[in-house]
Amino acid sequence: MTATPNDLQWPTHAPVYGAIRLRQFEDGDIPMIEELATDPYVPTIGSLPANATTAEAQSYIDRQRCRLAEGAGFAFCVADRQTDVALGNAGLWVRELPHGRAGVGYSVAPSARGRGVAADALRALAGFAWTIDGLHRLEARIEPWNTASVRTAETAGFEREGLLRAHEEIGGRRVDLLMYSLLRPDNRSVTDN
Ligand SMILES: CC(C)(COP(=O)(O)OP(=O)(O)OC[C@H]1O[C@@H](n2cnc3c(N)ncnc32)[C@H](O)[C@@H]1OP(=O)(O)O)[C@@H](O)C(=O)NCCC(=O)NCCS
């Protein structure tokens, strides 16, 4: 049976993979969000203002906590599995769940980069995603210059399908986006028969 966005529940056990766990955002994550907001690209792909103040970081966290109730999806904080220190964010966006699809997104705070945190987060996110009834396909849309994100998606098993031309406006420009997807492990298309 296919779930609808309104049926979804926050996981009872935090999804984990490698060195990270995915959990709810907490007020103590404000310093990580403030650091994320210093990245020139992150504010162009979400609702976090550039160089966010403490109040703006708090509002961002409050918005993430409402995403599931709004039917948008799961806005996870990526945290160190041992220390629980916040390292970044990872989202599973479910508006297209009635069609069997969901989108993914991720960012890592600059000081936590360079050790594969996003790939671990994406694998934890995918493991959780396959617990949702009726979800068959995860999609990641990535700008072609963004090698770190391309490597993250490929490490997590996503495959490149093609280029969506002038697909979206990011940072005031109409940009091309690579489409990467990951299929449910037991997925079979009619052509496999
Ligand atoms: C994309 C992002 C989440 C990856 O963070 P991370 O987990 O720390 O990634 P890493 O630094 O460990 O790099 C992952 C891979 O990319 C490679 N890489 C990283 N930066 C690179 C660069 N500038 N040029 C080429 N390769 C790069 C690494 O060598 C590594 O390769 P490997 O898998 O072959 O070892 C992070 O760069 C980020 O938050 N960027 C801004 C937000 C963003 O772009 N989000 C994704 C939107 S689609």
Side-chain angles (χ1 to χ4, degrees):
M1 199 181 66
T2 301
T4 71
N6 293 332
D7 298 330
L8 298 175
Q9 306 280 334
W10 196 261
T12 45
H13 296 290
V16 295
Y17 193 97
I20 67 90
R21 62 195 283 262
L22 302 179
R23 60 160 169 80
Q24 283 275 19
F25 273 101
E26 299 164 1
D27 292 352
D29 301 330
I30 287 176
M32 187 280 287
I33 297 299
E34 289 174 324
E35 190 198 339
L36 208 48
T38 65
D39 181 277
Y41 188 58
V42 172
T44 68
I45 55 171
S47 71
L48 182 62
N51 300 307
T53 62
T54 300
E56 287 170 332
Q58 178 72 66
S59 299
Y60 173 85
I61 286 173
D62 294 343
R63 287 196 297 281
Q64 306 319 299
R65 291 186 184 128
C66 295
R67 295 294 188 224
L68 186 57
E70 293 165 354
F74 297 86
F76 288 107
C77 176
V78 180
D80 185 290
R81 195 165 168 177
Q82 303 296 331
T83 65
D84 202 37
V85 167
L87 305 172
N89 63 25
L92 179 68
W93 307 117
V94 299
R95 295 254 190 235
E96 294 193 341
L97 181 57
H99 303 287
R101 300 187 290 266
V104 299
Y106 39 81
S107 297
V108 171
S111 64
R113 289 182 191 165
R115 50 188 163 106
V117 165
D120 279 357
L122 191 49
R123 283 182 282 205
L125 196 65
F128 168 63
W130 304 140
T131 69
I132 298 173
D133 286 338
L135 185 53
H136 295 281
R137 172 182 162 91
L138 297 180
E139 298 182 345
R141 292 168 193 196
I142 305 174
E143 287 197 68
W145 58 262
N146 196 344
T147 311
S149 184
V150 162
R151 287 294 308 140
T152 294
E154 289 175 345
T155 302
F158 283 64
E159 290 184 28
R160 184 184 298 209
E161 294 184 335
L163 188 68
L164 305 169
R165 296 181 301 159
H167 191 67
E168 220 172 275
E169 192 172 307
I170 295 181
R173 289 180 311 121
R174 203 79 211 163
V175 300
D176 297 345
L177 291 174
L178 291 167
M179 169 63 88
Y180 275 81
S181 72
L182 182 70
L183 303 187
R184 191 180 193 91
D186 56 1
N187 211 62
R188 286 171 60 105
S189 73
V190 285
T191 53
D192 294 335
N193 291 322

